Amino acid sequence: MNFSPLHAVTFAGVSGGLGLVILTLGTNPLTAALGAFNLGLYTMVYTPMKRTSTANTWVGSVVGAIPPMMGWAACTGGLEPGAWLLGAILFAWQFPHFNALSWNLRPDYSRGGYRMMSVINPGLCKRVALRYSLAMIGLCTMAPMIGVTSWTFAVDSLPFNLYMSYLALRFYQKGDSKSSRALFRFTLLHIPAILVLMLLSKITMDKPSGEGAGESIGAGAVGETTNSVTVTTDNITTPKTATVVTTVTVNTNKTRTVETDKKIPVTETAAKTVAGTACV
């Protein structure tokens, strides 16, 4: 079955629009905005550049770097340093991956009129592959420095990055089908290995204030968790004790959060508990 350009554009428009709606409703507007930006970058910038400039590979690498940043934004609602590091890792990885792949496809790219580095500037193609392979070592070392992973990740990822750099060096020196194929095949193993190692060595981020178990509650809020509740107040004065209390801890099996601007009423039983706490 043959599809007309109109059919293709209609299908792409509906699919892209529906995807952005799902991202907005299922995650957050920031993730959807990144998706919209990437969709436009791929279709309106990267694809036309393939026939005009070798810089298309750098633009395409940005396109490939944004999806992990979208994943981070979907989880956290922001673009913290870890999101940019993930994007940088995917950006750098794509050069040894794609440059090695394109090396053996030079006749096809040339016939299709695509201005790839492997066709227009083979020397640059090999240098860039080596350059970004070495950059992966520095990027993975940055992960523990900015608190995304422990230093275990920097150590565990080093053999993978060193071996990819070695294969990129061979590709740079020989520039033949065998060396390019070896580099390309290893990149297929390299990136999932790096991401899994990063996951295994990740450092859990602190939750924002007011989230999670054991809530702290001030003089306008009461919070209870499954195991206990911690009440923090400015002032609690009861008819029985007239005692100023800073904190009260109460065991409970319920989960409840109440926001209020008023003082917390204290019963006679609670007053005795407060007095006992204050005495301790």
Side-chain angles (χ1 to χ4, degrees), residues 152-173:
T152 303
F153 170 68
V155 175
D156 291 344
S157 63
L158 188 58
F160 290 91
N161 291 328
L162 286 176
Y163 188 63
M164 185 168 74
S165 298
Y166 164 72
L167 293 176
L169 178 61
R170 287 183 57 191
F171 173 55
Y172 172 76
Q173 292 172 336

Side-chain angles (χ1 to χ4, degrees), residues 217-221 230-236 244-248 263-264:
I217 307 169
T230 301
V231 179
T232 303
T233 184
D234 297 329
N235 231 311
I236 295 181
V244 177
V245 180
T246 303
T247 60
V248 179
K263 291 291 183 179
I264 304 171

Side-chain angles (χ1 to χ4, degrees), residues 213-218 221-225 228-233 246-252:
E215 308 256 349
S216 291
I217 307 169
V222 176
E224 297 182 2
T225 63
S228 65
V229 82
T230 301
V231 179
T232 303
T233 184
T246 303
T247 60
V248 179
T249 301
V250 182
N251 292 328
T252 179

Side-chain angles (χ1 to χ4, degrees), residues 36-50 59-60 63-64:
F37 173 77
N38 218 27
L39 185 61
L41 186 64
Y42 186 93
T43 57
M44 294 185 287
V45 181
Y46 170 59
T47 299
M49 281 186 69
K50 289 180 178 180
V59 177
V63 172

Side-chain angles (χ1 to χ4, degrees), residues 235-269:
N235 231 311
I236 295 181
T237 303
T238 71
K240 295 293 183 180
T241 63
T243 304
V244 177
V245 180
T246 303
T247 60
V248 179
T249 301
V250 182
N251 292 328
T252 179
N253 291 322
K254 298 180 180 180
T255 300
R256 178 168 60 93
T257 301
V258 180
E259 296 289 342
T260 178
D261 293 325
K262 299 179 179 180
K263 291 291 183 179
I264 304 171
V266 181
T267 63
E268 182 175 352
T269 302

